[in-house]
Amino acid sequence: MTYIIAIDGPSGSGKSTISQKLAEILKIEYLNTGSMYRAVSKYFLDNNIKENSTENEISIALNKIKIDFINNEIYLNGENIESLIRTDLVTKNTSWVSANKIIRENLVAKQRQIASTKSFVVDGRDIGTVVFPNAKYKFYLTASTKERAKRRFLQKESNLSIEEIEEALIKRDLYDSSRAISPLKKADDALEIDNSKQSIEQTLQTIISYMDKEDVL
Ligand code: DC
């Protein structure tokens, strides 16, 4: 039997690192949905699609986008864009992109299709609430904003200072959790793990300890 592990939480809560390692340990697949919103954001920046573009323009552009994952790296229309989607510009532009209804519907359909035939760890903001409400396992990762800013800073993908990153995180959290469509929210049946003071291994062990033995072998 295939199953889904939904991992949601704000940025810098360790979702991607934990999800990727968890999938490796369990020998199942990993889907990073944040990368998909970032890929669309990058394509829109490159093709002059903006927040005030018409629904028609957005739909036409979406139909020109093909997203694939190969070895956990994201490809946009055949080009590996993994190293191009975490710049400050793409990150900032992803806010409106991920709040747009047409774009979300398009990407949620893709996510359901990708994870339809195998067991998957899927990370994002709305995985346990909207994309896979019937996921067998649901976890909601959090950490203090100071700790999350520090982690982002150490990734060295931003040109901002720690203080600026923390400020941007707080803004983005507020935007993500207060948007009308699929806001960042813990599913009622998800287990919340605050990993501010936990190592990656400790968080992984906590997650695995909640799983059925048959899925961990
Ligand atoms: O996890 P991340 O930082 O790579 O996500 C990038 C952006 O995409 C962030 O603004 C939240 C948004 N996102 C979303 O709205 N829904 C998801 N399932 C995943 C990410």
Side-chain angles (χ1 to χ4, degrees), residues 11 15 32-35 37-38 86 94-95 98 104 124-127 152 172 176 179:
S11 53
K15 290 187 311 291
N32 179 334
T33 62
S35 297
Y37 287 95
R38 288 173 180 275
R86 279 165 240 285
T94 309
S95 272
S98 61
R104 290 205 81 87
R125 302 292 190 288
D126 59 340
I127 309 306
R152 277 278 182 264
R172 202 140 64 91
D176 285 348
R179 70 181 176 216

Side-chain angles (χ1 to χ4, degrees), residues 8-9 19 21 37 46 55 57 73 81 85-86 93 95 99 118 120 122-123 128 132 142 164-165 183 194 203-204 208:
D8 290 304
S19 300
K21 284 192 192 281
Y37 287 95
D46 293 346
E55 288 193 357
E57 284 165 341
E73 301 212 326
I81 55 159
I85 55 170
R86 279 165 240 285
N93 193 56
S95 272
K118 291 179 176 173
F120 262 86
V122 186
D123 86 35
F132 293 110
T142 60
E164 287 168 330
I165 292 179
D194 183 332
T203 306
L204 282 167
I208 289 170

Side-chain angles (χ1 to χ4, degrees), residues 16 30-36 69 74 82 86 121-123:
S16 314
Y30 166 52
L31 176 62
N32 179 334
T33 62
S35 297
M36 298 173 76
F69 285 90
I74 190 161
E82 188 63 38
R86 279 165 240 285
V121 181
V122 186
D123 86 35

Side-chain angles (χ1 to χ4, degrees), residues 105-120:
E105 281 172 2
N106 181 286
L107 290 186
V108 167
K110 281 196 174 105
Q111 291 155 14
R112 289 188 179 138
Q113 200 221 332
I114 292 173
S116 64
T117 56
K118 291 179 176 173
S119 292
F120 262 86

